[in-house]
Amino acid sequence: MTLLVRGGTVVTADRSFRADVLCQGGTIVQIGPDLEAPSRAEVVDAGGLLVMPGGIDPHTHMEMPFMGQVASDDFFTGTSAGVAGGTTMIIDFAIPGAGTSLLGAWREWSAKAEKAAADYSFHVAVTGWSEQVSEEMGTLVRDHGVNSFKHFMAYKGALMVDDDVLLRSIGRALELGAICNIHAENGDAVVHLQQRLLAAGITGPEAHALSRPPVVEGEAAQRVIAIASVLGAPIYIVHVSTEEAAGAIAAARARGERVYGEVLAQHLVLDESVYQNADWATAAAYVMSPPFRPRHHQKALWAGLVSGNLQTTATDHCVFCAPQKAVGRDDFTKIPNGTGGVEDRLSILWHHGVGTGRLTPEEFVRVTSTNTAQIFNIYPRKGVVAPGSDADLVLWDAHASRTISVKTHHQNVDFNVFEGMEVTGLARRTIAGGKLVWDDGDLRTVRGAGCYIPRPAFSPSMQALAIRNRLTAPKGVARR
Ligand code: URQ
Ligand code: ZN
Ligand code: ZN
């Protein structure tokens, strides 16, 4: 399959320049002005459009079993919706259930993802510790292209791990050249506040936010940053939603610690007023962890993206329909946690980021694609428009507008958290794996066209450096 993207302006994380892009067999082979169209090449018009690397969403949960439900977007519907919004790759989470090993979970998710319409990869969750867990982390890194392991400091009794497991697992990941993703909320504090709220008869969705105040995220972020510092290990904190956690990350980076932070499109533009909605189902539809915050926290999140202290944007796409949410009708702790956004992340970031002058188009590319590719070690295969890179491109119309709605979205869920928002900036066309799969409203995704993207371990030198730094006896202290 040969495809020539003609007449656009290429935008990468570093620069923008007028050029055509020639793709053959899923790979970009040439970039330059006025390229000849080889015979039988499909010519795709990019006149007036920006040609950017396809978005990479580092945080999704397609068909995830959670809180007694299964998320309603599966790997085909979820990746197809992503493509309609310009996202050409997702990194999902393989999470071992009771009695399932890490390798078992990886195999389970691999089977589920075979239907994906666009490329995907998996972080693997560590939900407990044993010699087997340690060994399987090694096998996953060595043989299965996994270089990141997820840890939940919340969801007590389900996914939560304690400091001992964090120390062992983050230390093991460092040895292996892998990085750890962290859901940073103090799970014990959450359970304590949930019980107090229920005891006080406060059972609605508004109690969800009250049971997870900003300090609960701030404390956990500080704690895991300290734990990583003890080990000299890099960490990646997911869905940072508060100024407390953003501040902790910025301070750690100012100390020279390798701490990364991820922000969700949802937390950048939505606030806690959503839980005050008189309609129970509407308020419940916004129940996710961490919850939406008082509006002033958004300022710290945008500042983090602009300053580079927060590096990636994601959606934590984990959607449940109203009947699934309604399971928590009388007890907010039973409402399956999760919201969606995989189709709208890029438009939200462009409209509220570039449209407001907070971000340049190059920085937009950085926080929607390039940084994720670099942090998870798949750059320059992914995350850039360059010869040799995968032909995953979004042809972006910076001037067109659309109104986000459940009536028109492609996500397999009966609610859209951005309902009614008018946004400027949208994916006019999307190319995934060298094929035109979204063309001006025409979704042409193919079941199973997506490929598993192995992510190699980080270079041994980085590991050795960190270990040596940490284990060297302080100056003037004689070795015994
Ligand atoms: O915590 C997560 O990332 C998963 C379980 C999705 N749900 C959510 O509310 N964020
Ligand atoms: Zn989480
Ligand atoms: Zn998540």
Side-chain angles (χ1 to χ4, degrees):
M1 174 83 186
T2 301
L3 193 145
L4 177 65
V5 176
R6 176 174 279 163
T9 298
V10 170
V11 182
T12 69
D14 315 312
R15 64 189 183 108
S16 299
F17 55 100
R18 288 298 307 272
D20 300 341
V21 180
L22 181 62
C23 309
Q24 265 160 357
T27 302
I28 296 170
V29 291
Q30 195 181 359
I31 299 174
D34 311 321
L35 296 184
E36 275 305 303
S39 59
R40 288 196 305 285
E42 178 182 357
V43 176
V44 177
D45 175 18
L49 305 178
L50 304 179
V51 180
M52 304 190 285
I56 306 174
D57 190 334
H59 193 153
T60 66
H61 299 279
M62 303 309 177
E63 48 192 293
M64 174 190 175
F66 189 48
M67 298 178 74
Q69 302 293 325
V70 176
S72 57
D73 249 325
D74 67 26
F75 276 91
F76 176 67
T77 58
T79 51
S80 295
V83 157
T87 285
T88 55
M89 180 179 172
I90 61 170
I91 311 182
D92 205 276
F93 294 83
I95 304 179
T100 309
S101 77
L102 271 62
L103 262 176
W106 184 83
R107 292 200 180 98
E108 204 182 308
W109 257 258
S110 299
K112 290 196 278 190
E114 273 171 14
K115 61 174 86 70
D119 289 354
Y120 57 91
S121 195
F122 306 122
H123 312 286
V124 176
V126 171
T127 58
W129 192 254
S130 67
E131 202 33 52
Q132 182 188 0
V133 168
S134 178
E135 266 160 39
E136 292 195 0
M137 287 173 76
T139 307
L140 285 163
V141 171
R142 216 180 21 256
D143 308 336
H144 298 290
V146 172
N147 66 14
S148 53
F149 294 96
K150 174 73 181 280
H151 303 75
F152 295 89
M153 298 171 77
Y155 304 128
K156 191 166 184 172
L159 304 171
M160 177 173 158
V161 294
D162 63 16
D163 296 354
D164 175 56
V165 174
L166 287 172
L167 282 157
R168 292 169 188 276
S169 186
I170 295 173
R172 175 64 171 148
L174 177 64
E175 278 168 13
L176 294 166
I179 190 166
C180 292
N181 320 49
I182 313 289
H183 173 132
E185 283 184 301
N186 182 316
D188 290 312
V190 169
V191 170
H192 182 82
L193 291 168
Q194 287 176 334
Q195 289 165 350
R196 276 176 53 185
L197 287 154
L198 289 175
I202 307 173
T203 63
E206 70 284 2
H208 177 72
L210 296 171
S211 69
R212 312 176 95 98
V215 66
V216 160
E217 179 180 89
E219 183 280 332
Q222 289 277 19
R223 178 158 39 101
V224 75
I225 287 170
I227 286 172
S229 159
V230 163
L231 297 164
I235 53 169
Y236 175 98
I237 299 182
V238 301
H239 46 48
V240 173
S241 68
T242 60
E243 52 199 31
E244 285 86 345
I249 294 171
R253 294 178 65 83
R255 292 191 302 268
E257 292 163 24
R258 194 175 285 278
V259 179
Y260 298 111
E262 168 196 279
V263 186
L264 304 187
Q266 297 96 308
H267 286 124
L268 285 166
V269 298
L270 298 167
D271 65 55
E272 63 174 2
S273 62
V274 294
Y275 300 119
Q276 303 315 319
N277 195 301
D279 172 57
W280 187 94
T282 301
Y286 288 97
V287 167
M288 69 162 296
S289 296
F292 296 107
R293 303 298 188 181
R295 201 166 186 75
H296 64 82
H297 288 275
Q298 292 172 6
K299 198 161 176 302
L301 303 182
W302 281 110
L305 288 176
V306 173
S307 66
N309 279 318
L310 300 174
Q311 297 76 27
T312 68
T313 59
T315 64
D316 193 3
H317 189 86
C318 186
V319 289
F320 300 99
C321 295
Q324 296 176 295
K325 291 277 188 179
V327 169
R329 192 77 186 77
D330 307 318
D331 174 352
F332 70 94
T333 68
K334 302 273 185 308
I335 300 172
N337 289 193
T339 64
V342 75
E343 183 165 357
D344 303 307
R345 174 181 62 121
L346 269 59
S347 282
I348 292 289
L349 261 293
W350 186 274
H351 182 79
H352 294 277
V354 180
T356 59
R358 289 174 173 128
L359 298 173
T360 64
E362 292 79 10
E363 289 165 343
F364 169 88
V365 167
R366 197 162 267 296
V367 300
T368 58
S369 187
T370 310
N371 282 349
T372 290
Q374 292 175 339
I375 291 171
F376 292 109
N377 214 15
I378 47 177
Y379 184 91
R381 176 178 180 176
K382 301 287 186 184
V384 64
V385 180
S389 298
D390 287 2
D392 296 341
L393 304 168
V394 55
L395 279 49
W396 193 255
D397 189 333
H399 310 293
S401 298
R402 67 185 177 99
T403 300
I404 298 175
S405 175
V406 66
K407 299 191 196 66
T408 51
H409 74 190
H410 299 82
Q411 299 172 151
N412 185 35
V413 63
D414 58 5
F415 190 87
N416 190 306
V417 290
F418 305 115
E419 186 67 35
M421 280 190 185
E422 169 129 6
V423 288
T424 299
L426 55 84
R428 181 65 67 197
R429 301 187 176 91
T430 305
I431 292 163
K435 296 197 177 61
L436 182 62
V437 287
W438 167 252
D439 187 2
D440 205 4
D442 176 16
L443 188 59
R444 309 178 190 160
T445 48
V446 175
R447 205 178 179 82
C451 301
Y452 173 69
I453 305 297
R455 295 173 295 121
F458 293 93
S459 61
S461 64
M462 194 268 292
Q463 300 156 272
L465 179 68
I467 293 171
R468 197 179 54 251
N469 284 356
R470 198 50 52 202
L471 300 178
T472 309
K475 290 223 171 347
V477 176
R479 284 187 181 285
R480 297 201 179 288

